[in-house]
Amino acid sequence: MSDRADRSDDELYASHTLAMGLEKSRFPEATADPRAVSSAIRDELLLDGNSRQNLATFCQTWEEPEVHALMDVCIDKNMVDKDEYPQTAEIEARCVRMLAELWHAPDGPATGCSTTGSSEAAMLGGLAMKRRWEAGRKAKGLSTERPNLVTGPVQVCWHKFARYWDIELREVPMAPGRRLLTAEEVRRHCDENTIGVVPTLGVTFTGEFEPVKAISDALDELERDTGLNIPIHVDGASGGFLAPFCAPDLVWDFSLPRVRSINASGHKFGLAPLGVGWVLWREQSDLPENMIFWVNYLGGDMKDIALNFSRPGGQIVCQYYNFVRLGREGYARVHGACYDTAAYLAGEIAAMGPFEIIYDGDRSRGIPAVSWKLRDGTDPGFTLFDLADRLRARGWQVPAYTLPPACDDQPIQRILVRNGVSRDLCELLVADMKSALAHLEAHPAQVPLGEAEASGFHH
Ligand SMILES: *Cc1c(COP(=O)(O)O)cnc(C)c1O
């Protein structure tokens, strides 16, 4: 061992440990120098690309120094240990109360919890709908065999929810000219086995808000006509942290009595670091008792609702930091700057010529994003996949992908503007888009790239 150990005064990249590559499959026998190993791993991570230039992700890629410091302080805090870390638990409860107020829950105890993200939050919200539907059906002596869930074009977490819990997903397909769930389609797809309807506030594919109020009105009408009382769960993964600050007149939350639960991603427009989401129920009675595990907490009882057991606490502490540090005013400013930058991008991209803007980042209609397609009936000699590929050469990740059924022959491209995707960075991106277009014009692709060859992960 001693003859293999690196000397403390070794030049890092000339050290024994780094004379060969790191082990990649076999479990190593010996210990190694921490400085050398961590340097090699840091270097490897350079190949991941620069997250700040990743314009596909909705998640935070920039945090204030105070957040980094708090994350460090919280490295040992386990959310499940409410007895060991009572103040972390208290901070989570404060966030739940603040969100209940932000989303206009009726007076009464705030009901909800943190999760690892919107996916887990969706599982919990969806499961509560299923349990409430089952209880209602059983009380009437009716079958609980074939539950279904009605949605528009949803994020993949709802596909998982439906598959994991054996629920028929009635995902209303898009149609030419209709990219969102509409009140009429909701009525057509609901029946006595519908556990709930999920409109999305910020659809993954284009960034647009679905019309929660119109859907709620249609379900009120359905109840008047048929007696069916079908609840709404809003997937507010992005919009839940945008609309309250930037579109305060939009009616979408618990102010609609039919909205029984809401999920949102703290690590998207909640501005917290990766690993936190939220699910809230309108009232205590909307969360079935049998989903709650009671844990003893400093002599009292505390609810545990999450799917995971151990979970890091730092993200929740930083979420609280953001709420208190920014307030409504700060969230409106941070997100307002993103909407302004999205509008700038939409204008520039529209002026380039070959593109038609689908969604321009209008704050009353959706999230700070821009989506576009090639003009109908034109062939500029390249595809959006070629353009995405070309921008990748400058480090930009601007995803191109086809829409879901029944519009899956329509490629579109999208940029997400989040905190830190600054006006200045976007000016540089616009310049790179223009040179990419000039390049593609000068060198028309023999065989334009298709979706399979371009990396287009956009969830
Ligand atoms: C991102 C997203 C999700 C999944 O959220 P995570 O926090 O990544 O688990 C669900 N729904 C929508 C609309 C999203 O944008």
Side-chain angles (χ1 to χ4, degrees):
M1 178 56 225
S2 57
D3 58 326
R4 297 195 54 222
D6 288 320
R7 294 204 323 270
S8 60
D9 59 352
D10 266 348
E11 290 300 328
L12 181 63
Y13 289 101
S15 67
H16 176 84
T17 304
L18 296 189
M20 284 183 295
L22 301 185
E23 195 60 68
K24 303 217 171 33
S25 308
R26 209 177 45 92
F27 203 98
E29 284 301 332
T31 56
D33 177 57
R35 186 164 153 249
V37 174
S38 67
S39 301
I41 291 175
R42 262 174 210 270
D43 291 354
E44 175 162 4
L45 292 175
L46 292 173
L47 302 185
D48 265 347
N50 178 355
S51 64
R52 299 287 300 283
Q53 283 184 290
N54 176 359
L55 303 179
T57 187
F58 294 64
C59 294
Q60 285 308 299
T61 51
W62 181 82
E63 294 291 353
E64 293 184 339
E66 288 76 8
V67 167
H68 287 265
L70 279 174
M71 286 296 280
D72 215 19
V73 168
C74 294
I75 197 164
D76 59 344
K77 300 202 184 294
N78 191 342
M79 277 323 293
V80 83
D81 260 331
K82 299 188 196 297
D83 198 26
E84 192 92 2
Y85 307 109
Q87 286 322 115
T88 307
E90 162 64 18
I91 282 175
E92 180 193 29
R94 290 179 197 166
C95 289
V96 169
R97 291 198 292 270
M98 289 184 180
L99 287 174
E101 197 233 348
L102 188 70
W103 294 338
H104 302 108
D107 289 342
T111 306
C113 61
S114 67
T115 59
T116 35
S118 274
S119 306
E120 186 185 3
M123 294 288 159
L124 295 170
L127 197 54
M129 284 194 279
K130 178 166 187 267
R131 292 282 165 83
R132 293 198 309 262
W133 171 79
E134 282 167 353
R137 299 279 293 175
K138 279 187 188 139
K140 291 185 192 141
L142 296 169
S143 157
T144 55
E145 295 268 295
R146 301 180 54 80
N148 70 64
L149 182 72
V150 174
T151 73
V154 273
Q155 209 264 357
V156 68
C157 72
W158 293 103
H159 292 231
K160 283 191 185 167
F161 166 70
R163 214 186 287 172
Y164 291 176
W165 271 277
D166 287 321
I167 288 158
E168 179 200 346
L169 183 62
R170 296 190 177 166
E171 186 177 19
V172 177
M174 290 186 180
R178 178 173 56 68
R179 294 181 304 269
L180 301 172
L181 189 59
T182 60
E184 300 78 67
E185 293 297 329
V186 164
R187 268 208 75 144
R188 286 207 309 139
H189 285 79
C190 285
D191 60 26
E192 59 174 9
N193 292 320
T194 303
I195 64 170
V197 175
V198 178
T200 301
L201 215 61
V203 171
T204 306
F205 307 97
T206 60
E208 293 163 289
F209 293 157
E210 289 187 317
V212 183
K213 167 99 173 48
I215 290 167
S216 176
D217 290 346
L219 289 172
D220 288 349
E221 209 179 277
L222 184 74
E223 183 170 4
R224 274 197 299 276
D225 295 351
T226 65
L228 290 176
N229 181 4
I230 299 177
I232 290 176
H233 171 102
V234 178
D235 182 348
S238 297
F241 281 113
L242 289 162
F245 311 115
C246 299
D249 295 335
L250 192 73
V251 180
W252 68 275
D253 60 12
F254 293 127
S255 52
L256 296 167
R258 195 168 288 280
V259 174
R260 312 308 293 186
S261 46
I262 297 173
N263 70 270
S265 296
H267 53 215
K268 291 184 178 173
F269 293 92
L271 303 175
L274 264 182
V276 58
W278 300 94
V279 56
L280 265 80
W281 286 272
R282 179 184 186 76
E283 296 172 68
Q284 263 178 324
S285 56
D286 291 308
L287 174 61
E289 253 316 299
N290 64 11
M291 282 177 63
I292 303 172
F293 287 76
W294 291 98
V295 291
N296 195 272
Y297 159 65
L298 286 184
D301 266 349
M302 184 111 185
K303 284 179 198 151
D304 174 36
I305 316 168
L307 295 181
N308 262 61
F309 189 68
S310 296
R311 215 153 41 87
Q315 290 84 343
I316 289 127
V317 170
C318 291
Q319 182 77 88
Y320 180 62
Y321 166 78
N322 280 325
F323 287 177
V324 177
R325 179 251 184 283
L326 291 169
R328 289 172 193 260
E329 183 193 355
Y331 272 94
R333 281 167 59 102
V334 167
H335 296 332
C338 293
Y339 279 110
D340 290 346
T341 300
Y344 158 76
L345 277 175
E348 290 289 329
I349 292 167
M352 285 177 194
F355 309 119
E356 180 183 327
I357 302 291
I358 294 174
Y359 167 63
D360 63 359
D362 172 349
R363 66 196 71 197
S364 61
R365 279 181 51 217
I367 69 177
V370 186
S371 51
W372 66 92
K373 59 180 186 173
L374 287 171
R375 279 188 193 290
D376 286 339
T378 61
D379 178 13
F382 66 91
T383 63
L384 294 178
F385 306 107
D386 290 314
L387 178 58
D389 191 57
R390 191 69 207 152
L391 289 172
R392 203 72 190 252
R394 285 280 286 171
W396 301 110
Q397 297 183 46
V398 183
Y401 48 88
T402 49
L403 289 176
C407 291
D408 46 4
D409 56 350
Q410 176 64 64
I412 78 165
Q413 203 161 14
R414 187 195 67 203
I415 289 175
L416 215 118
V417 184
R418 55 181 187 276
N419 197 17
V421 177
S422 64
R423 170 68 180 251
D424 191 63
L425 269 184
C426 288
E427 284 179 10
L428 299 170
L429 169 68
V430 164
D432 282 341
M433 283 183 80
K434 287 178 182 164
S435 7
L437 288 180
H439 177 95
L440 291 167
E441 211 164 279
H443 308 280
Q446 296 293 315
V447 184
L449 283 183
E451 187 168 26
E453 295 133 314
S455 58
F457 194 74
H458 56 278
H459 296 299

